Amino acid sequence: MREVEHNKLQIREVVGKGGFGTIYRASDGVTSNLILKTMMKTPSRSMEPVARKEYDFGMKLKHPNLVRMRGSFDTATDHCLVMDLVEGCNLFDHMQKNSLGYFVENRAKRMFKGLAKGLHHSHKFGVAHLDIKPENIMVGKDDHLTLIDFGLAAETLGLCHQFSGSADYASPEVWRNMPFEPACSDVWSLGIVLHILLTGCLPFNPKGVPNMRVQPDLFWPEDVNVSDDAKELVGWMLELKPMARPTMREVLNHRWLKRPISAVFKRRWSLGKLDSLNKP
């Protein structure tokens, strides 16, 4: 793997641990806004291909709504990746602190549009994220969203044979353990995130996704205002058939993202009672 001046890196604190290794906040003597991700070398499982893939994909992507990869190196015990620190907190925690539990539509649109631009950029350069969820989206200053953690990413060219991700956000085709179009799967996951931004809840019970064979009825809380245009886009992104979903370019060109919310362009609103799919 490509060498960087890792001898200048200073570890500040542990910020996270996972199945692959440990994540540290670090500095290089010039900036303290770096993340060091280590993947332990083990005799039983080589992490080098995983680390190399994340590094190679990360170096392709340069967009304000995507985490920026800065370098990589090996030590005697670990494969290491260096990337920019993304300030803020993840979207899941951010929404937990939100008194409403969701965002009013105009705010949700502004937040989502940047995220959609980032994913469009990623797909344009041949990289599907494959683990889009609120925990992998950072909320920064002025509601700026940044997609992080490309550890499960795959090429968009050709079918994917990687059946992993997060259960509540994985597309039906991932659950079927059959080769699938990775970019289409990303669109499904992002559609669920958009629904959560607008309502604060999941669009359906995720337990039904593995055996989903018919188009699901989406749950729209009755006392949360969501325009028909927004509902239409979410429904399109959550089409059961992967190839019936929009590309990220089509998402960005959808009228909900093109039109301002105003008295002129506002379509019919739905009103009613808020409920949660997660209630026992």
Side-chain angles (χ1 to χ4, degrees):
M1 300 180 70
R2 186 177 301 178
E3 290 293 324
V4 297
E5 292 186 282
H6 59 275
N7 57 314
K8 294 183 179 180
L9 286 175
Q10 297 180 335
I11 292 175
R12 300 299 185 188
E13 61 182 330
V14 175
V15 296
K17 291 187 177 182
F20 289 149
T22 305
I23 300 173
Y24 303 91
R25 184 171 186 153
S27 66
D28 63 357
V30 177
T31 175
S32 60
N33 297 324
L34 294 174
I35 285 292
L36 174 65
K37 181 177 181 179
T38 64
M39 302 182 191
M40 186 178 295
K41 298 177 180 178
T42 63
S44 60
R45 182 181 183 186
S46 174
M47 296 302 298
E48 183 173 4
V50 177
R52 185 180 296 277
K53 182 184 72 168
E54 185 172 355
Y55 170 78
D56 288 343
F57 285 157
M59 292 302 290
K60 288 183 178 182
L61 305 176
K62 296 176 176 62
H63 191 277
N65 296 95
L66 304 176
V67 65
R68 181 75 179 270
M69 184 68 68
R70 292 295 180 182
S72 67
F73 62 92
D74 284 353
T75 68
T77 58
D78 297 283
H79 304 294
C80 304
L81 302 175
V82 182
M83 59 197 79
D84 284 350
L85 171 70
V86 181
E87 299 283 1
C89 69
N90 70 59
L91 181 59
F92 181 87
D93 291 340
H94 188 79
M95 296 193 73
Q96 293 288 97
K97 299 172 185 176
N98 187 331
S99 59
L100 289 176
Y102 63 92
F103 300 105
V104 295
E105 186 168 329
N106 212 23
R107 185 180 177 190
K109 179 191 289 191
R110 289 195 303 269
M111 298 171 78
F112 176 79
K113 191 170 186 177
L115 190 63
K117 287 180 178 179
L119 188 59
H120 171 58
H121 175 87
S122 183
H123 286 181
K124 182 179 177 181
F125 282 86
V127 180
H129 188 277
L130 294 185
D131 197 19
I132 297 173
K133 58 183 178 179
E135 292 88 341
N136 283 339
I137 299 168
M138 297 296 289
V139 185
K141 185 179 179 181
D142 298 324
D143 288 339
H144 182 90
L145 298 188
T146 303
L147 187 60
I148 64 171
D149 195 352
F150 280 75
L152 296 180
E155 292 182 348
T156 56
L157 184 63
L159 297 178
C160 182
H161 296 75
Q162 175 180 296
F163 309 108
S164 57
S166 299
D168 289 355
Y169 303 91
S171 63
E173 58 269 23
V174 172
W175 284 101
R176 292 173 190 150
N177 288 330
M178 297 179 64
F180 63 93
E181 293 281 353
C184 297
S185 185
D186 269 356
V187 171
W188 172 280
S189 302
L190 191 64
I192 293 179
V193 169
L194 176 54
H195 188 281
I196 291 172
L197 286 172
L198 292 165
T199 67
C201 65
L202 294 167
F204 37 68
N205 190 333
K207 292 181 180 179
V209 174
N211 298 311
M212 192 175 282
R213 294 293 181 269
V214 297
Q215 188 63 35
D217 293 325
L218 305 186
F219 172 73
W220 295 102
E222 294 178 349
D223 63 353
V224 178
N225 293 342
V226 181
S227 69
D228 285 350
D229 282 347
K231 291 180 178 179
E232 180 184 84
L233 178 56
V234 173
W236 192 13
M237 296 176 76
L238 296 179
E239 282 283 349
L240 183 61
K241 295 180 179 179
M243 299 308 293
R245 297 170 203 151
T247 64
M248 286 310 303
R249 180 180 293 276
E250 289 173 324
V251 168
L252 288 168
N253 286 327
H254 189 271
R255 60 173 168 259
W256 181 65
L257 288 174
K258 290 291 188 180
R259 294 176 174 175
I261 295 182
S262 66
V264 176
F265 295 109
K266 190 182 294 182
R267 302 179 75 198
R268 183 178 59 84
W269 299 86
S270 297
L271 302 172
K273 184 180 179 183
L274 173 65
D275 194 9
S276 172
L277 289 170
N278 294 323
K279 287 183 178 179

